Amino acid sequence: MKKQKFIKLFLLALLIIPIISACSSQTAPFNSKEKLGSQVNYTITGIDAGAGIMSSTQTALKSYGLEKNNWQLQTSSTAAMTSTLDKAIQDKRPIVVTGWQPHWMFTKYPIKFLKDPKNVYGKAEHINTVVRKGLKTDKPEAYTILDRFHWNPTQMSKVMLKVNDGMDPNKAAKQWIKANPKLVNEWTKGVKKVHGQSLKMTYVAWDSEIASTNVIAQVLRNQGYKVTIQAMEIQPVWASIATGAADAQVSAWLPKTSGLFYKDYKGRFEDLGPNLQGAKVGLAVPKYMTNINSIEDLKNK
Ligand code: PBE
């Protein structure tokens, strides 16, 4: 290339590159002086459409006046959301995601929940065990164990992290059971062994539910049940219990996240109460977005 031509191209590049990067602000690191909305395309990165956190976020967009400011919620999947979050954090870019705990995203990434002064997502949640009517008389041993099943967020996170590291969920469940004999014994103490009775559980393939369903299913297998677990959308999970097509599910995030299904199917299931306390749902951002601390800040900053 002639020297003169090279210089011309070089000068052109100098001119064009800043223009391009100014247009695609999405690739730029977070800037606390610039309006947040325009830095993230007024987009909250969400998960699958059926999740309670998605309908709560739609409510949040309205209650906080974000919708009329062009904010929108993007539907994807947990895997797509966490991979977008991963990439954003690597480049220190701004991002707003739907977040919940227990989940490994809070262990793996420096993220924080945004304050929710209008209490759209509720303060704390618990996860309940829900069984079909009649289970108590048909399969009293399973009923007792399901009724006693409870653990805490740290214990659930241990299983989730292993699965996230690539371990088969059933193997992770078996390892966890082996490492926690005292707690598991609290659930099974004095319960008669059974011999190959079948038991069906349904769940949604969210990381928390993969962990809990695999653990309790394996405990019931150790008791002698032939347990099948089937993943599906949230609404059919509730329907499967209401119609008696399935025996139990351990994924009822309450009072808000699964609250609509709880209300819709009320009277057609038996609620065995919380299997986990101290869950939380909301919007989350990386900690380096230091001036963004409340959902209100999405609109104002
Ligand atoms: N989650 C995880 C679910 C419940 C479990 C928070 C993504 C939801 O319905 O939003």
Side-chain angles (χ1 to χ4, degrees), residues 2-221:
K2 279 213 189 85
K3 199 175 165 191
Q4 234 180 354
K5 198 170 169 198
F6 177 80
I7 291 171
K8 257 194 211 155
L9 275 177
F10 181 73
L11 288 175
L12 196 68
L14 276 188
L15 195 76
I16 285 173
I17 288 167
I19 295 174
I20 292 174
S21 53
C23 292
S24 57
S25 56
Q26 265 196 304
T27 58
F30 175 62
N31 180 348
S32 61
K33 299 207 171 63
E34 210 182 294
K35 220 171 162 32
L36 176 66
S38 61
Q39 291 186 73
V40 296
N41 257 332
Y42 296 88
T43 299
I44 294 169
T45 306
I47 58 169
D48 48 296
I53 199 172
M54 295 294 278
S55 40
S56 299
T57 303
Q58 294 293 2
T59 309
L61 287 179
K62 290 196 187 79
S63 322
Y64 286 91
L66 289 161
E67 203 178 46
K68 58 174 190 279
N69 268 296
N70 297 322
W71 278 83
Q72 49 173 357
L73 174 61
Q74 190 178 46
T75 308
S76 64
S77 64
T78 308
M81 180 192 84
T82 47
S83 109
T84 310
L85 177 66
D86 187 289
K87 287 186 200 117
I89 285 184
Q90 276 178 36
D91 303 339
K92 288 234 151 56
R93 274 184 281 121
I95 184 166
V96 184
V97 299
T98 52
W100 64 95
Q101 234 171 0
H103 193 275
W104 52 263
M105 65 179 122
F106 279 88
T107 321
K108 207 161 164 183
Y109 304 115
I111 56 174
K112 62 184 177 186
F113 273 117
L114 294 181
K115 291 201 183 75
D116 174 23
K118 295 192 196 287
N119 204 26
V120 170
Y121 296 91
K123 291 209 162 56
E125 292 225 303
H126 43 91
I127 309 177
N128 284 20
T129 299
V130 169
V131 301
R132 70 166 168 86
K133 288 198 149 183
L135 186 72
K136 188 175 184 173
T137 41
D138 298 346
K139 293 168 188 174
E141 294 82 8
Y143 179 92
T144 302
I145 294 173
L146 285 159
D147 193 21
R148 290 180 184 168
F149 168 53
H150 71 278
W151 58 349
N152 64 35
T154 316
Q155 290 158 336
M156 182 192 251
S157 297
K158 291 234 164 80
V159 182
M160 269 195 274
L161 272 175
K162 282 189 180 166
V163 176
N164 179 241
D165 282 343
M167 190 182 284
D168 170 70
N170 180 245
K171 190 174 174 196
K174 282 181 177 156
Q175 285 192 357
W176 185 89
I177 289 167
K178 221 173 166 183
N180 294 273
K182 242 181 85 188
L183 183 59
V184 174
N185 189 46
E186 278 181 36
W187 313 339
T188 57
K189 204 164 53 194
V191 180
K192 272 203 325 256
K193 293 267 179 192
V194 301
H195 302 283
Q197 282 185 39
S198 63
L199 194 91
K200 186 167 172 182
M201 295 188 66
T202 49
Y203 70 109
V204 187
W206 292 312
D207 303 273
S208 37
E209 282 42 60
I210 292 172
S212 53
T213 308
N214 273 277
V215 165
I216 191 65
Q218 190 53 41
V219 169
L220 290 162
R221 283 186 195 112

Side-chain angles (χ1 to χ4, degrees), residues 130 202 233-243 249 251-254 258 261-262 265 268-269:
V130 169
T202 49
E233 300 273 315
I234 180 76
Q235 197 267 334
V237 165
W238 284 89
S240 71
I241 305 297
T243 59
Q249 60 116 328
S251 343
W253 285 55
L254 296 165
S258 297
F261 297 106
Y262 194 92
Y265 287 95
R268 301 174 64 196
F269 60 81

